[in-house]
Amino acid sequence: MALQIFSPKIQQPLKSIFPSPTNNGCGIIVPSAYNSSRRLALFQLVITQSQLFNGKAPESLSAEGKVIESGMVAELAQSNIALNDETASEWIKKDKRRMLHVVYRVGNLDKTIKFYRECLGMKLLRQRDIPEEGYSNAFLGYGPEESNFSVELTYNYGVDKYDIGTGFGHFGIAVDDVAKMVDLVKAKGGKIVQEPGPAKDGGPIVSLVEDPDGYNFELLERGPTLEPFRQVMLRVGDLDQSINFYKKAFGMELLRKRDNPDNKNTIAIMGYGPEDKNTVLELTYMYGVKSYDKGNGYAQIAVGTDDVYKTAEAIKLYGGEIVLEPGPLPGINTKIMACIDPDGWKTVFVDNADFMKELE
């Protein structure tokens, strides 16, 4: 499932309605004509209202003026769920949430896939090319998407380089032998950012390697695990604020927090379960740095939820900004919503049942 709320041709986050890049009219995001073999190419096409409705007025509009198809009205009515702090907290505790995948852009899909498979040991889970929309993407990981975290690589035709920015940090993966993997990366012509060595805090052997597009991967020496994809690291400007937001709005646990005065940073590990069994989010605060350049390469993380409507209301309650209101996609029953955290990092929440159906 390609859950992208970034247009391949636009390096800015999209909302439900925004000026079309090809005209001065009001454009809306819609999926391409549905083909089950594509596993949902979401938010890849931007067209105008007149194109979508064949010149006719839409049947319904939301209070904000967003277009709603007639078949979606009943579904979107559910978004008027009122939650208070107590009911929101109880709902979040019961919700079955899991980090599903991370989305980012690459300049040469085949080259990156080759590097991930041959050097990092990932498996190519699925791949597709959508020429009419000008992009290709691929999902890779260490296990099936039904149970494991994955990466979604997106290649936009004609774009061979992206600005990663200063906000994105690295991805972390657990490996049996860091030195051996580093030697393999070197043999394949990869770049070593940090040679293997013990962590400064006395932890396991670690190393840092760079993929063909400049994304860093931290290699951590650990024993066998069902989920080798350990973490996604993002930098934030106010760590306590971010911890509070991810605990309350996202229902994540603060698994650990550590101050590193030698490195002039403090980190917090957040997630939906223990680090040895789940992919987690590492939030890093660099002393005195309040904001970061996010570039245009990294896009977002997708998280599963049992109810996108209640999830959206809870996120609003705890100060999150909804950039895509919850509801089924036009022409498709998959329900999603999207929001940004206090630092502007984007997350897409996907209905669990719909996600599993699309993987069948």
Side-chain angles (χ1 to χ4, degrees), residues 5 21 27 36 39 41 50 88 103 111 125 140 158 183 193 200 248 265 270 289 297 303 313 343 351:
I5 56 174
S36 58
R39 303 289 184 95
S50 60
V103 183
K111 184 177 181 180
L125 304 174
L140 296 97
D183 287 341
V193 179
K200 291 183 179 180
K248 289 190 173 183
N265 67 37
M270 312 287 297
V289 183
V303 175
E313 291 305 309
D343 290 274
D351 181 272

Side-chain angles (χ1 to χ4, degrees), residues 15-18 26-28 49 53 58-69 76 325:
K15 296 190 178 183
S16 294
I17 296 182
F18 64 100
C26 184
I28 72 172
Q49 290 186 29
F53 296 99
E59 296 185 37
S60 302
L61 292 174
S62 70
E64 296 80 13
K66 297 185 176 71
V67 179
I68 307 174
E69 289 185 350
L76 291 181
E325 291 291 341

Side-chain angles (χ1 to χ4, degrees), residues 42-354:
L42 308 182
F43 302 103
Q44 300 295 345
L45 181 62
V46 180
I47 64 176
T48 62
Q49 290 186 29
S50 60
Q51 287 173 306
L52 177 62
F53 296 99
N54 296 320
K56 299 179 181 179
E59 296 185 37
S60 302
L61 292 174
S62 70
E64 296 80 13
K66 297 185 176 71
V67 179
I68 307 174
E69 289 185 350
S70 58
M72 296 168 60
V73 176
E75 290 276 9
L76 291 181
Q78 297 182 46
S79 63
N80 296 319
I81 299 170
L83 293 178
N84 56 37
D85 186 67
E86 182 178 356
T87 56
S89 178
E90 286 302 311
W91 153 248
I92 291 172
K93 289 178 182 178
K94 296 176 182 178
D95 194 18
K96 297 181 180 64
R97 297 186 179 182
R98 177 175 72 88
M99 290 173 60
L100 303 175
H101 60 252
V102 61
V103 183
Y104 51 104
R105 304 178 184 89
V106 300
N108 186 319
L109 190 59
D110 291 337
K111 184 177 181 180
T112 304
I113 290 173
K114 181 180 176 66
F115 179 85
Y116 285 14
R117 295 178 69 181
E118 295 184 356
C119 296
L120 303 182
M122 292 188 190
K123 300 175 182 177
L124 177 60
L125 304 174
R126 53 189 170 97
Q127 182 178 359
R128 65 163 168 258
D129 183 43
I130 314 296
E132 64 271 26
E133 295 174 19
Y135 79 100
S136 302
N137 66 7
F139 288 76
L140 296 97
Y142 294 101
E145 291 177 72
E146 291 87 345
S147 57
N148 288 72
F149 190 78
S150 64
V151 299
E152 178 186 342
L153 308 176
T154 296
Y155 167 69
N156 296 306
Y157 290 5
V159 183
D160 60 6
K161 188 176 182 180
Y162 291 96
D163 175 17
I164 296 177
T166 59
F168 170 78
H170 62 256
F171 302 118
I173 58 175
V175 300
D176 294 334
D177 189 328
V178 169
K180 183 178 180 180
M181 181 169 284
V182 167
D183 287 341
L184 179 60
V185 172
K186 289 179 179 178
K188 297 291 184 179
K191 181 179 179 180
I192 309 302
V193 179
Q194 177 185 319
E195 291 287 346
K200 291 183 179 180
D201 61 357
I205 301 297
V206 298
S207 179
L208 201 65
V209 302
E210 185 177 290
D211 80 357
D213 295 276
Y215 296 99
N216 285 337
F217 278 80
E218 183 180 60
L219 310 180
L220 302 95
E221 191 160 292
R222 295 181 180 176
T225 174
L226 294 176
E227 181 52 88
F229 203 107
R230 307 310 307 141
Q231 61 192 217
V232 176
M233 191 276 259
L234 303 173
R235 297 184 176 92
V236 298
D238 185 327
L239 188 60
D240 290 336
Q241 179 185 39
S242 294
I243 290 172
N244 187 59
F245 176 81
Y246 279 96
K247 286 175 68 175
K248 289 190 173 183
F250 280 34
M252 289 186 176
E253 301 175 57
L254 174 59
L255 301 174
R256 59 187 174 93
K257 183 179 179 182
R258 185 180 72 241
D259 186 44
N260 306 300
D262 290 344
N263 296 331
K264 297 183 179 181
N265 67 37
T266 306
I267 68 168
I269 304 298
M270 312 287 297
Y272 293 111
E275 292 179 73
D276 60 338
K277 298 179 180 179
N278 300 272
T279 303
V280 298
L281 181 63
E282 177 182 331
L283 304 175
T284 298
Y285 166 69
M286 306 298 296
Y287 292 1
V289 183
K290 296 298 183 181
S291 62
Y292 296 92
D293 172 16
K294 294 179 177 59
N296 59 13
Y298 176 89
Q300 74 254 347
I301 290 174
V303 175
T305 176
D306 287 337
D307 191 318
V308 295
Y309 303 99
K310 288 183 179 179
T311 293
E313 291 305 309
I315 288 172
K316 291 177 185 177
L317 180 66
Y318 294 121
E321 179 183 349
I322 305 301
V323 295
L324 182 73
E325 291 291 341
L329 294 164
I332 307 172
N333 290 326
T334 301
K335 295 179 286 293
I336 72 170
M337 58 79 57
C339 65
I340 55 176
D341 74 359
D343 290 274
W345 294 114
K346 185 174 271 70
T347 300
V348 176
F349 281 85
V350 188
D351 181 272
N352 284 325
D354 293 344

